[in-house]
Amino acid sequence: SVFVCTGISKKEAPPRAELKLLVEAAGGSWIDKSCESEGKSGVAITSAKTTKAQKTQLQALKGNLTPKTIAWLKEAVMKQKYSLDHR
């Protein structure tokens, strides 16, 4: 499952709707709201430098989501594999 925090710059990532399509095309599931994260595992995507608002969003998540950067997500989608151990 993938949750993408708000506030990621357009320079860092495509629009949320396109990110959702990429995640789903790669076989992932998209979490729209933090309240939908309960009981799920996966990643929570932030900017390269996590903002204060993103830190607040991460604290509100109820699932087992590992924080990762948008660069990590783009690499995982392009390579069609991921590791929670790096970046």
Side-chain angles (χ1 to χ4, degrees):
S1 299
V2 177
F3 174 80
V4 177
C5 293
T6 58
I8 295 176
S9 160
K10 292 179 184 176
K11 293 178 184 178
E12 289 185 276
R16 290 177 69 81
E18 289 179 28
L19 280 175
K20 181 179 180 183
L21 290 173
L22 288 170
V23 166
E24 292 174 343
S29 61
W30 184 263
I31 301 172
D32 268 324
K33 300 174 184 160
S34 61
C35 62
E36 297 172 357
S37 66
E38 190 166 350
K40 296 185 179 175
S41 61
V43 295
I45 303 301
T46 66
S47 300
K49 288 191 171 191
T50 306
T51 67
K52 185 176 180 180
Q54 290 171 348
K55 288 178 184 176
T56 300
Q57 287 180 313
L58 292 173
Q59 291 172 346
L61 294 172
K62 305 207 182 313
N64 184 21
L65 302 179
T66 303
K68 293 291 178 183
T69 66
I70 189 64
W72 178 91
L73 178 62
K74 290 191 287 187
E75 180 180 330
V77 169
M78 296 299 283
K79 292 183 175 180
Q80 293 288 297
K81 66 179 185 176
Y82 68 92
S83 169
L84 295 177
D85 295 330
H86 77 291
R87 281 199 228 173

